[in-house]
């Protein structure tokens, strides 16, 4: 009975993983890139100044200047004032933003969002740097749940189904392998199918907690889109917008008849927050419903170099008196914040973010080894068909081509996305769209390419192309910009230098993989050459 159950789980694990494996590989590749979305954004906008070009800014003075600018320039009855302090990850400048009053005045309507960059010395609006239009790292990040060229609702549900099936594959994989943790310490190289299974087991166990967390949290985010019955049955009556407004505490429309109240000085509130959190720990200052009697000020803390939405302090906007957390900041909001922080690594500092990145790469490797293992298990049967004069089965050949085109071809496409950022003219009108077009055109070509070559040749050529595409990116960067390693390393700009070095490292890893395929190709050719020599000798 137990053995039959385990065989059922093994069948489910195999076919669930195969059916959605290629979509999941795309999701993991783009999602892993998303852990450094801000850093990729920066590299893809080389016109921005080096990190060392920015002077140190006193946060108290910066907040005072920003408040003066908002009070002088934000329209009356505007919503949601915000001051973003410089020096944070993804925000190197002092900036302010607000929402203008809604044009139609309807309840719950939201006005136009306005953002201004300020000169930290004078507090006046500074000229925005002229940078190229680019999707940056955030476009890759959005692809991991929105895909591309696909309607949003369709993409969300498709990725949700694939994520649910991946969670099923992870659970059934644990059930299937009776000695999964023993096998973790076993690797037998050069053994064909056995080696692929060992690699799959080792990678799966290494980051198993990450795989469980990332799939479960990804499903919970869109729970009410995947299973809307609960939302329809509640007092929201199926109105998802009102539900998310309540969950995320989006403010209602400003009441123009409410009595105006003067806004307290914000700089002393920053000093109070720093006394509790430490110097330089305030990332953002927000004022909800400025001018109203019920307005409040929220200071958000930096956590791991990025804003942590659940770590905040509240003050009365007119008196500066400390306020307790909102009653709405309960279990639902806290759960949302925790799961989002876990999934996206929002709390992570540099070291932990690299661990997230490494775990994402292990996820890519787990999916890739699982896909290749499927063909490795069936290779002997296809070889018998070939010896008998038959052709490989269509299903087997299709899976083999999709494996090569996805596992080896998608990395080439991602590298092509970065190449397009440097090669498409900076003033090209639709360059942002064409960066994405280049990615998918490249991937499409490499999905078709394996059908024209033998499997080993297609693997070898695609891997060498991927290695070259990544390894040569720093050279391309040096030829097209002045933000190359010769400048960024001496300046200590580790965001730009780190991107180039990471591309080199990925190129080396892919070159090692190509070398291993090349050795296997030579080993496979030896028996054929030996048979040819025997035949030639007999003829002589």
């Amino acid at each position: 009975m137990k053995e039959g159950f385990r065989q059922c789980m093994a069948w489910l694990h195999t076919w669930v993983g195969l059916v959605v494996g290629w979509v999941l590989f795309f999701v993991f590749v783009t999602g892993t890139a998303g852990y450094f979305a801000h850093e990729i954004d920066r590299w893809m906008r080389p016109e921005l100044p080096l990190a060392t070009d920015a002077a140190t800014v006193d946060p108290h003075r910066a907040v005072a200047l920003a408040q003066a600018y908002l009070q002088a320039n934000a329209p009356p009855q505007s919503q949601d004032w915000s001051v973003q302090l410089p020096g944070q990850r993804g925000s190197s400048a002092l900036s302010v933003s607000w929402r203008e009053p809604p044009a139609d005045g309807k309840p719950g309507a939201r006005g136009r969002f306005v953002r201004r960059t300020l000169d930290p010395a004078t507090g006046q609006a500074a000229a925005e740097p002229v940078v190229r239009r680019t999707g940056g790292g955030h476009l890759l990040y959005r692809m991991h749940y929105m895909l591309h060229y696909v309607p949003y609702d369709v993409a969300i549900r498709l990725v949700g189904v694939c994520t649910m099936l991946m969670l099923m594959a992870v659970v059934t994989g644990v059930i299937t392998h009776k000695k999964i943790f023993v096998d973790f310490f076993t690797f037998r190289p050069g053994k064909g199918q056995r080696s692929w299974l060992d690699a799959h087991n080792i990678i799966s166990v290494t980051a198993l907690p990450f795989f469980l967390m990332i799939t479960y949290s990804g499903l919970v985010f869109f729970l009410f889109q995947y299973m809307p019955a609960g939302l329809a049955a509640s007092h929201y009556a199926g109105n998802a917008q009102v539900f998310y407004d309540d969950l995320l505490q989006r403010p209602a429309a400003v009441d123009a008849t409410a009595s105006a109240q003067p806004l307290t000085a914000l700089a002393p509130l920053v000093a109070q927050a720093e006394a509790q959190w430490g110097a330089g720990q305030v990332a953002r200052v927000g004022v909800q419903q400025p001018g109203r009697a019920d307005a409040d000020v929220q200071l958000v803390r930096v956590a791991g170099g990025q804003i942590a939405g659940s770590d905040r302090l509240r003050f009365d906007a007119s008196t500066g008196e400390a306020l307790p957390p909102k009653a709405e900041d309960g279990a639902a909001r806290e759960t949302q914040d925790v799961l989002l922080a876990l999934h996206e690594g929002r709390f992570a500092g540099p070291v932990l973010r690299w661990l997230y990145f490494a775990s994402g790469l292990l996820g890519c490797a787990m999916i890739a080894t699982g896909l290749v293992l499927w063909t490795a298990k069936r290779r002997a049967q296809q070889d018998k068909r070939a010896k008998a004069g038959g052709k490989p089965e269509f299903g087997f050949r299709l899976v083999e081509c999709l494996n090569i085109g996805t596992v080896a071809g998608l990395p080439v496409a991602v590298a092509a996305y970065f190449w397009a950022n440097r090669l498409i003219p900076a003033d090209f009108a639709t360059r942002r769209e064409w960066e994405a077009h280049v990615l998918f055109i490249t991937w499409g070509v490499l999905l078709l390419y394996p059908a024209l070559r033998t499997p080993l040749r297609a693997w070898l050529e695609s891997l060498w192309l991927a290695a070259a595409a990544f390894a040569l990116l720093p050279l391309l960067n040096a030829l097209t910009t002045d933000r190359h390693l010769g400048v960024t390393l001496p300046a200590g700009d580790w965001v730009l230098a780190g991107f180039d070095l990471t591309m080199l490292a990925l190129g080396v890893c892919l070159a090692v993989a190509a070398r291993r395929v090349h050795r296997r190709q030579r080993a496979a050719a030896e028996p054929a050459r030996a048979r040819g020599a025997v035949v030639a000798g007999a003829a002589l």
Side-chain angles (χ1 to χ4, degrees):
M1 182 68 179
K2 289 183 179 180
E3 189 60 32
F5 174 74
R6 187 172 288 110
Q7 289 177 357
C8 179
M9 291 295 100
W11 179 89
L12 191 62
H13 177 79
T14 298
W15 288 102
V16 163
L18 178 68
V19 169
V20 298
W22 304 292
V23 175
L24 287 174
F25 189 81
F26 175 81
V27 168
F28 261 79
V29 167
T30 52
T32 300
Y35 289 124
F36 288 108
H38 292 291
E39 291 74 12
I40 295 173
D41 281 351
R42 173 92 184 285
W43 186 87
M44 296 182 77
R45 293 180 173 92
E47 297 83 6
L48 292 174
L50 291 170
T52 53
D53 293 345
T56 302
V57 177
D58 175 27
H60 310 92
R61 172 176 166 78
V63 168
L65 291 172
Q67 181 178 358
Y69 182 88
L70 285 166
Q71 290 174 324
N73 295 276
Q77 312 302 332
S78 60
Q79 306 173 13
D80 301 343
W81 287 7
S82 179
V83 179
Q84 186 78 36
L85 292 171
Q88 313 306 326
R89 178 173 175 246
S91 175
S92 59
L94 172 64
S95 65
V96 296
S97 61
W98 64 85
R99 284 196 179 274
E100 295 182 344
D104 52 14
K106 293 181 180 179
R110 309 188 77 201
R112 184 173 67 94
F113 179 80
V114 179
R115 181 181 181 275
R116 296 285 185 270
T117 299
L118 303 184
D119 185 333
T122 65
Q124 298 302 308
E128 296 283 351
V130 179
V131 298
R132 64 191 64 194
R133 287 178 55 81
T134 177
H138 281 85
L139 179 60
L140 292 175
Y141 161 75
R142 288 191 294 272
M143 283 180 185
H144 97 278
Y145 65 96
M146 293 174 59
L147 305 179
H148 206 66
Y149 309 120
V150 179
Y152 175 81
D153 289 339
V154 175
I156 285 293
R157 285 165 173 77
L158 177 59
V159 173
V161 169
C162 293
T163 304
M164 181 175 61
L165 292 175
M166 177 176 175
L167 182 60
M168 186 186 301
V170 171
V171 173
T172 55
V174 173
I175 295 172
T176 300
H177 295 92
K178 295 182 291 185
K179 301 178 180 179
I180 186 169
F181 292 104
V182 173
D183 290 342
F184 173 71
F185 298 98
T186 304
F187 180 66
R188 287 153 284 194
K191 300 295 184 181
Q193 175 186 333
R194 182 72 253 180
S195 299
W196 284 111
L197 180 59
D198 289 344
H200 187 66
N201 289 340
I202 291 170
I203 293 168
S204 301
V205 176
T206 299
L208 181 60
F210 175 82
F211 301 146
L212 289 170
M213 178 276 293
I214 210 72
T215 50
Y216 177 75
S217 59
L219 288 170
V220 171
F221 289 157
F222 300 103
L223 180 65
F224 289 100
Q225 289 183 287
Y226 300 147
M227 295 185 292
L231 185 62
S234 69
H235 71 277
Y236 294 103
N239 191 330
Q241 186 60 52
V242 176
F243 167 77
Y244 282 110
D245 284 346
D246 283 356
L247 178 65
L248 302 175
Q249 300 171 40
R250 291 171 178 156
V254 175
D255 183 1
T257 64
S259 58
Q261 297 290 331
L263 179 63
T264 188
L266 300 178
L269 305 185
V270 173
Q272 290 187 50
E274 288 189 334
Q276 180 172 337
W277 292 337
Q281 288 297 301
V282 178
R284 180 168 59 85
V285 180
V287 183
Q288 293 188 351
Q289 312 293 7
R292 284 181 51 170
D294 59 348
D296 67 3
V297 179
Q298 295 195 22
L299 277 69
V300 181
R301 183 180 183 179
V302 173
Q306 188 169 333
I307 295 172
S310 61
D311 203 350
R312 65 186 73 201
L313 296 176
R314 291 180 66 236
F315 299 89
D316 187 283
S318 57
T319 66
E321 178 184 356
L323 299 175
K326 285 188 175 182
E328 292 86 349
D329 287 342
R333 176 61 184 266
E334 191 66 25
T335 301
Q336 174 81 3
D337 284 346
V338 168
L339 287 175
L340 190 61
L342 281 172
H343 189 86
E344 298 186 350
R346 289 193 167 190
F347 58 91
V351 174
L352 188 53
R353 194 174 303 114
W354 276 107
L355 288 175
Y356 262 87
F357 182 76
S359 298
L361 292 180
L362 286 174
C364 298
M366 177 188 70
I367 296 167
T369 53
L371 291 171
V372 174
L373 181 60
W374 190 92
T375 56
K377 284 182 175 180
R378 292 155 181 82
R379 170 62 61 189
Q381 180 182 354
Q382 300 303 314
D383 289 343
K384 288 180 181 179
R385 287 174 60 93
K387 289 179 180 179
K391 294 182 178 180
E393 294 177 355
F394 174 78
F396 177 87
R397 183 62 177 147
L398 176 63
V399 170
E400 193 169 49
C401 290
L402 288 174
N403 285 353
I404 300 169
T406 300
V407 174
L410 182 58
V412 180
V414 173
Y417 176 69
F418 299 136
W419 278 70
N421 176 262
R422 291 298 191 257
L423 294 179
I424 297 176
D427 58 352
F428 189 65
T430 56
R431 72 178 322 281
R432 183 181 186 275
E433 291 76 12
W434 269 101
E435 286 177 353
H437 295 337
V438 168
L439 187 156
F440 285 99
I441 290 171
T442 304
W443 189 18
V445 170
L446 288 171
L447 279 171
L448 296 174
Y449 180 72
L452 308 176
R453 305 289 282 169
T454 61
L456 279 178
R457 292 298 303 176
W459 274 114
L460 181 64
E461 291 159 0
S462 298
L463 286 171
W464 274 123
L465 181 60
F470 279 107
L472 293 177
L473 262 174
L475 176 60
L476 174 68
N477 185 39
L479 294 174
T480 55
T481 74
D482 59 355
R483 295 290 186 260
H484 50 81
L485 287 171
V487 172
T488 56
L489 284 176
D493 193 326
W494 290 105
V495 171
L496 296 180
F499 182 95
D500 282 343
L501 293 173
T502 301
M503 296 302 102
L504 282 172
L506 289 174
V508 169
C509 291
L510 289 164
V512 170
R515 285 287 299 168
R516 293 183 66 87
V517 173
H518 181 61
R519 285 199 296 268
R520 182 178 175 185
Q521 185 184 48
R522 285 195 305 178
E526 285 300 328
R529 282 198 294 266
R531 287 194 300 271
V534 170
V535 171
L540 291 174

